[in-house]
Amino acid sequence: MTMQGLNITKNSENLMGEIYRCCDNPQITYLAPVNINIDERTIGSVDVWRCAVCKKKFCEEKQLGIDSITDIVGMPRIEDDEKWGVIVSKLQKGKDKWKLVKLKQNGVIKYETADEKMLDLKIENYIIVDDYHTSFLVEDHLNKAVEI
Ligand SMILES: [Zn+2]
């Protein structure tokens, strides 16, 4: 897909109201879950979906015991140079300890903490490099549980 194609898609999306298509003919099916565990108990999960045509992956964060309140039509957008990851905070507990994010290969990510502070976290090769935060890539843990 060309950059121009992407822009056209984006424009028509806005007209239609936030319907995101990863490619011209999306065929999106459920791929796998990644469970998030604390002390061997599952506290949440990331549901991973994949488009059979363009192979792009889409993820949804699920907190255990909380029904999804988001009402997104289509799949959450991710750019070609990003990967789905989970940031784990060493400062927080329980459901506030983790968050689904989109990571670029290198750079800085703006991260909002549970108490609504904005942090700049450094990314090196899709991994967060920080004293108080770690991360992992969703694609490395499909159908597995990750202890955080
Ligand atoms: Zn697609």
Side-chain angles (χ1 to χ4, degrees):
M1 185 185 284
T2 63
M3 283 309 289
Q4 195 179 8
L6 277 175
N7 287 337
I8 290 165
T9 310
K10 201 175 180 181
N11 288 338
S12 60
E13 226 169 78
N14 290 339
L15 291 173
M16 291 163 60
E18 292 298 315
I19 295 174
Y20 166 54
R21 291 179 189 282
C22 48
C23 54
D24 290 340
N25 182 29
Q27 291 179 31
I28 295 168
T29 55
Y30 188 72
L31 183 64
V34 176
N35 284 345
I36 309 294
N37 284 13
I38 292 179
D39 297 331
E40 295 180 10
R41 276 188 51 208
T42 299
I43 60 150
S45 63
V46 176
D47 277 342
V48 187
W49 303 72
R50 184 175 60 181
C51 175
V53 178
C54 69
K55 307 295 182 201
K56 236 179 197 186
K57 293 193 187 75
F58 304 94
C59 294
E60 200 178 8
E61 181 180 312
K62 291 268 177 71
Q63 296 282 359
L64 196 75
I66 301 173
D67 287 336
S68 180
I69 49 165
T70 50
D71 190 19
I72 304 166
V73 180
M75 287 283 130
R77 174 192 303 273
I78 186 161
E79 305 299 336
D80 288 339
D81 62 346
E82 295 174 325
K83 291 187 178 191
W84 292 100
V86 170
I87 290 183
V88 179
S89 168
K90 296 176 188 171
L91 305 172
Q92 303 291 336
K93 289 193 162 58
K95 67 174 176 57
D96 294 330
K97 203 172 159 63
W98 69 284
K99 194 179 201 177
L100 178 68
V101 293
K102 290 171 265 191
L103 297 170
K104 291 194 190 297
Q105 185 166 12
N106 292 293
V108 168
I109 185 171
K110 297 269 180 204
Y111 177 73
E112 189 180 353
T113 64
D115 39 6
E116 295 180 355
K117 283 199 205 93
M118 291 303 285
L119 300 178
D120 284 342
L121 299 179
K122 198 170 147 201
I123 310 169
E124 278 180 19
N125 204 19
Y126 299 106
I127 297 291
I128 297 290
V129 182
D130 183 77
D131 288 343
Y132 303 105
H133 298 83
T134 57
S135 71
F136 62 85
L137 289 177
V138 168
E139 64 186 27
D140 294 339
H141 299 275
L142 298 177
N143 289 310
K144 289 179 194 154
V146 180
E147 183 76 28
I148 62 171

